[in-house]
Amino acid sequence: MRWTIAARPIARELVPEDFEKDANPAGSPALQEGELRVAVLMLSCDPAQKGWMENVAGYAEPTEIGQTMPALGVGRVLESAAPGYAPGDLVQGLLGWATEMVVAAEAMRKVRDEPDAPRLALGLLGSSGLTAYFGLTRIGVPQAGDTLVVTGAAGGVGSIVGQIGKIAGCRVIGIAGGPDKCRWLTEELGFDHAIDYKAEKVKARVRELAPDGIDVLWDNVGGQMLEDLLARIARKARVVICGGIARYPQQGRPPGPASYFNIVFKSARMEGFLLGDFAEDHDIGRDRLRKWLAEGRIVQRDEVVDGLENAPQTLLRLFRGENRGKLLIKVAQ
């Protein structure tokens, strides 16, 4: 079974009809040299997947209508035509919404076979954890005593950013939607404060909670949220641009924030990044995150939805903000 791309959700929200179920896909072709046949075990749900469908993500290969919906995932090698890989190996990389995939071995990396390996590899030790680690430590450069504000704080990336900020000695303020998420941030993850953007005026609450300004701003949202927070940055602030969930339903490019010149007035820095920028150091990040997890300094929270048949509705939940932590789809054992 597999799900294919049926439409391009440009300037609108995703709908179930953007995907088509193929219950009886054609048999897999014989492997070419350098290829692997992989049984898909678990898949990641990420905001970038909508950009892949729209073909606006310049860092990713273009997609075609009718192709298997791409997704980062973990699988187990069934058959190998590549040196260094054998049946039974766990691999991670760009897979797709299918029970079985043929992929280039050079695009995969081996995963340590350990308890709960797929969940770890896609969550804390995968793109979410590594994005949080490198974006915050290399670009945000948190210092003890800094005020760190995180938007989209209850998501897979934001929830880890805040915890790393606490390890660095920051005072952490998370912004999320709804009282349950806000309680989770403060009571379980150790954030100092949480702002419910659905019920509170964010700009006023930030002014109250951070009267001296924001030293490190981690933004997963963009739009008016970013506009309001740029107005509250401190001198020498570091603004980390990670995502832009607010722009996904919009047509065309979103307007630039009117408060952007505050970066000049505050001698601040604003920088975006891709996880691939730090590819040579990914193992360093994994080792550090694994250590913090073992020490209990980071709490891992993932939501695993069982069954590939639920993939479209699960991804839609991500864009409705219904997840708490990393959202994953379990395909097979």
Side-chain angles (χ1 to χ4, degrees):
M1 162 188 180
R2 66 173 185 149
W3 287 95
T4 62
I5 298 172
R8 300 207 181 281
I10 299 173
R12 62 171 175 80
E13 296 180 353
L14 281 170
V15 294
E17 291 73 23
D18 290 327
F19 310 97
E20 184 173 343
K21 184 178 180 180
D22 183 0
N24 297 293
S28 298
L31 295 185
Q32 302 298 310
E33 184 177 353
E35 290 185 333
L36 305 171
R37 194 181 316 280
V38 175
V40 179
L41 303 181
M42 189 168 286
L43 297 167
S44 173
C45 290
D46 299 290
Q49 287 175 270
K50 187 173 186 290
W52 299 345
M53 296 172 70
E54 296 170 329
N55 276 350
V56 298
Y59 58 88
E61 290 294 323
T63 58
E64 302 292 339
I65 300 296
Q67 82 169 69
T68 301
M69 175 64 193
L72 296 173
V74 170
R76 192 174 296 279
V77 175
L78 298 174
E79 182 183 357
S80 173
Y85 291 87
D89 287 345
L90 284 179
V91 293
Q92 177 182 11
L94 187 62
L95 297 173
W97 287 5
T99 54
E100 187 178 297
M101 300 281 294
V102 172
V103 295
E106 64 181 7
M108 297 287 111
R109 79 168 191 94
K110 284 188 179 181
V111 173
R112 184 188 303 184
D113 200 344
E114 59 185 324
D116 225 4
R119 188 175 69 91
L120 272 173
L122 292 175
L124 183 64
L125 305 182
S127 61
S128 294
L130 294 176
T131 294
Y133 177 80
F134 288 108
L136 188 61
T137 61
R138 302 288 177 88
I139 299 175
V141 194
Q143 305 295 318
D146 279 349
T147 293
L148 165 65
V149 173
V150 185
T151 68
V157 173
S159 59
I160 299 172
V161 170
Q163 293 182 80
I164 296 175
K166 289 300 297 179
I167 292 171
C170 295
R171 182 168 168 268
V172 180
I173 302 169
I175 302 175
D180 290 343
K181 287 184 178 180
C182 288
R183 279 193 297 271
W184 177 59
L185 293 178
T186 57
E187 295 177 6
E188 293 189 37
L189 302 191
F191 283 51
D192 295 281
H193 302 280
I195 300 172
D196 181 357
Y197 73 84
K198 294 182 178 180
E200 301 178 87
K201 293 183 178 180
V202 172
K203 195 171 183 179
R205 283 289 284 151
V206 170
R207 186 183 298 112
E208 175 187 336
L209 294 172
D212 296 326
I214 302 167
D215 299 297
V216 183
L217 170 58
W218 180 287
D219 186 48
N220 290 311
V221 175
Q224 188 62 47
M225 184 84 71
L226 177 60
E227 164 73 17
D228 289 345
L229 295 174
L230 282 178
R232 298 298 308 158
I233 58 174
R235 179 170 171 76
K236 294 291 185 180
R238 288 81 70 200
V239 180
V240 185
I241 304 297
C242 178
I245 293 174
R247 71 178 174 83
Y248 287 125
Q250 297 178 353
Q251 187 169 5
R253 295 183 179 180
S259 297
Y260 85 95
F261 216 70
N262 209 30
I263 295 169
V264 176
F265 296 148
K266 298 293 186 179
S267 299
R269 174 167 54 87
M270 181 162 69
E271 185 175 344
F273 72 102
L274 295 174
L275 184 54
D277 298 341
F278 307 101
E280 293 183 357
D281 293 337
H282 282 184
D283 284 341
I284 294 174
R286 289 189 187 95
D287 288 345
R288 184 62 57 85
L289 291 164
R290 191 187 296 275
K291 179 175 182 289
W292 286 335
L293 179 65
E295 293 172 347
R297 303 180 75 185
I298 282 185
V299 176
Q300 183 185 13
R301 169 70 181 261
D302 305 318
E303 183 177 350
V304 181
V305 176
D306 195 21
L308 184 60
E309 64 274 12
N310 297 313
Q313 290 294 347
T314 304
L315 184 60
L316 265 59
R317 287 185 53 214
L318 180 74
F319 288 92
R320 292 195 293 261
E322 295 175 359
N323 61 300
R324 200 182 305 180
K326 184 70 179 179
L327 189 55
L328 301 167
I329 300 167
K330 182 179 178 182
V331 180
Q333 295 287 351

